[in-house]
Amino acid sequence: MSKLHPTKTLSALVPRYVTRFACVGAACEDNCCSGWLVTLDKKTFNAYRNSTHPELKPIFIKHVKRSRATNNDLHYGKITPEPGSQSCSALCEGLCAIQKHLDASHLSNTCFTYPRQTRRFLGQHEQALNLSCPEAARQALLHSDAFDFVEEKVTVRDADMVEGFAAFGLTTAAMNDVRIFCLQLMRTTDLALWQRLAILGVFCERLNVTLANAQHVAVPALLRDFATLIEQGGIVDALRDLRPNHEAQAMVFSTLLADRGFTTTSRMQADQVRMISANLGADESGQTTAEALVTAYTRGLERLGHALEQAPHLLENYVLNEMFLTLFPFYGINPFDAYLQLVARFGLLRLILAAQCNNEGDLPDANVLVNTVHVYCRRFQHQGTFARRVNGALHASGWSSLDKLYGFLRS
């Protein structure tokens, strides 16, 4: 059988957890073939519509539809689910009938790639995984060496390659120096995670000013100065007296959560949604008081600290994965805007994890915490409009300045 979509094998820079990942197939507790629209690129769409395979042809005739709302060849068509189901109509006993009866080259670009994201930047290929996949989340969040970077062979399609371009007037080499500094800062384990995030905010703010004033040649000196400040401990001492603002954390991030909505057809996700609402003090109608919300969140945070002893790298690795996936801080309007998005995602995840821990029984184990991250990423990570709404809400409410953001960081 001829290959529909050719692939090539490349050497890529990857976090070590990527080398350990493999799809668990039918054993997946919340698989990617359910709950999402399955999009088809034009080449795959035409192949399915012209297929004569006896088992697949009836599925393709009934469920392969043209997406009339777009002229984009990458999202040319879709596979509609069976009525009353949110699963891909090609899903059979937890496995893909297309891959079973044809081969992986006949998967759409979307299905072939997920959860991988591959980028070409500065003459080098990079790959990381979206943590909306349960197995990817387990591998990324539970291991101390998950973010040791290694060279690995990866198989990719050209259509799925993300290109990293020069931005904000910097060369790609200068951008790479900045992002390496940011990643190394977030791996400085002798600092608490909130301290690393606070220092990252100061750096992104200074970088913003430097670029806005067209002082691009000063960026290397800025990197050296911050490295020296961290080594000497002065910037850490300046942060020592920062105190958490649990009331603001609870109110702001619960508002962001409600603004997005949290509807789902997945049983696993629905159970998590109900738990989050109830554990944050909501009644059956979803209503709660500010006092009940803050009390529930504060208690959940305290218990979360103990629960994370079973998964001590979870929050740090989540942040690192977000940064590596997005070419941080070079997405969004400017570097500080990228930082604002990162803090918002971190704060919203922490709210959900705290809700998970605000129960009357045993603390959630590491697997439950990982599944909470997975559900969070599945509902928010793939929503491009969510980041814009978050930034708009934080700016509109006056919480976008660095001094206000500090109150969000410390638990």
Side-chain angles (χ1 to χ4, degrees), residues 251-328:
M251 298 301 293
V252 170
F253 292 114
S254 63
T255 300
L256 296 177
L257 178 65
D259 179 59
R260 167 66 182 91
F262 217 89
T263 58
T264 178
T265 56
S266 161
R267 182 185 298 270
M268 175 183 177
Q269 293 176 42
D271 289 344
Q272 290 255 18
V273 170
R274 285 190 291 270
M275 174 279 301
I276 290 165
S277 179
N279 287 10
L280 288 177
D283 57 24
E284 292 184 0
S285 66
Q287 301 299 309
T288 186
T289 65
E291 182 180 2
L293 172 65
V294 174
T295 299
Y297 173 68
T298 303
R299 180 177 183 271
L301 272 183
E302 181 180 353
R303 286 170 60 82
L304 175 60
H306 298 296
L308 286 173
E309 293 173 3
Q310 305 169 81
H313 310 287
L314 185 139
L315 283 174
E316 173 187 328
N317 286 4
Y318 166 79
V319 171
L320 284 166
N321 202 65
E322 286 288 292
M323 292 172 68
F324 190 65
L325 271 175
T326 59
L327 202 67
F328 183 91

Side-chain angles (χ1 to χ4, degrees), residues 327-391:
L327 202 67
F328 183 91
F330 299 110
Y331 68 97
I333 300 169
N334 53 54
F336 191 75
D337 172 74
Y339 175 74
L340 189 62
Q341 291 186 32
L342 183 68
V343 170
R345 289 177 182 271
F346 168 78
L348 186 51
L349 174 61
R350 185 178 55 190
L351 173 83
I352 294 172
L353 288 167
Q356 181 71 263
C357 293
N358 185 38
N359 58 19
E360 298 305 324
D362 294 335
L363 288 171
D365 62 21
N367 195 54
V368 171
L369 294 175
V370 168
N371 282 338
T372 304
V373 177
H374 140 69
V375 170
Y376 164 77
C377 290
R378 182 150 181 172
R379 300 307 302 163
F380 292 96
Q381 192 178 61
H382 303 280
Q383 299 291 333
T385 59
F386 174 67
R388 291 192 292 273
R389 283 205 300 271
V390 165
N391 277 25

Side-chain angles (χ1 to χ4, degrees), residues 100-176:
K100 175 183 177 181
H101 295 300
L102 300 176
D103 58 28
S105 81
H106 284 73
L107 296 175
S108 70
N109 287 328
T110 299
C111 295
F112 177 82
T113 302
Y114 182 82
R116 301 166 184 85
Q117 181 173 303
T118 309
R119 174 172 50 235
R120 183 165 39 225
F121 181 70
L122 197 62
Q124 178 175 263
H125 296 91
E126 306 172 350
Q127 189 178 92
L129 307 181
N130 290 292
L131 304 189
S132 48
C133 164
E135 179 62 16
R138 273 189 288 273
Q139 295 300 333
L141 301 176
L142 294 181
H143 301 286
S144 61
D145 63 348
F147 280 87
D148 291 345
F149 288 92
V150 297
E151 290 283 335
E152 178 76 0
K153 296 293 184 182
V154 299
T155 301
V156 300
R157 297 178 183 176
D158 280 335
D160 299 321
M161 188 75 66
V162 177
E163 293 285 351
F165 296 104
F168 304 113
L170 291 170
T171 65
T172 52
M175 289 171 62
N176 205 45

Side-chain angles (χ1 to χ4, degrees), residues 67-233:
S67 295
R68 298 294 177 185
T70 177
N71 293 320
N72 187 335
D73 284 356
L74 293 178
H75 303 284
Y76 188 83
K78 59 189 175 183
I79 300 181
T80 62
E82 289 286 351
S85 168
Q86 288 299 312
S87 295
C88 174
S89 49
L91 186 66
C92 181
E93 297 181 349
L95 296 173
C96 177
I98 297 170
Q99 185 162 355
K100 175 183 177 181
H101 295 300
L102 300 176
D103 58 28
S105 81
H106 284 73
L107 296 175
S108 70
N109 287 328
T110 299
C111 295
F112 177 82
T113 302
Y114 182 82
R116 301 166 184 85
Q117 181 173 303
T118 309
R119 174 172 50 235
R120 183 165 39 225
F121 181 70
L122 197 62
Q124 178 175 263
H125 296 91
E126 306 172 350
Q127 189 178 92
L129 307 181
N130 290 292
L131 304 189
S132 48
C133 164
E135 179 62 16
R138 273 189 288 273
Q139 295 300 333
L141 301 176
L142 294 181
H143 301 286
S144 61
D145 63 348
F147 280 87
D148 291 345
F149 288 92
V150 297
E151 290 283 335
E152 178 76 0
K153 296 293 184 182
V154 299
T155 301
V156 300
R157 297 178 183 176
D158 280 335
D160 299 321
M161 188 75 66
V162 177
E163 293 285 351
F165 296 104
F168 304 113
L170 291 170
T171 65
T172 52
M175 289 171 62
N176 205 45
D177 288 341
V178 170
R179 64 189 291 246
I180 289 173
F181 169 82
C182 292
L183 287 167
Q184 289 176 336
L185 168 59
M186 293 311 300
R187 299 192 69 201
T188 307
T189 55
D190 55 341
L191 298 176
L193 179 58
W194 73 268
Q195 292 175 317
R196 286 174 260 171
L197 283 168
I199 296 170
L200 185 66
V202 178
F203 172 76
C204 288
E205 186 179 58
R206 297 275 182 86
L207 179 62
N208 243 30
V209 172
T210 301
L211 299 180
N213 291 332
Q215 296 175 329
H216 296 73
V217 295
V219 171
L222 180 67
L223 294 173
R224 290 193 298 271
D225 290 347
F226 263 82
T228 300
L229 285 171
I230 294 167
E231 288 176 8
Q232 293 177 345

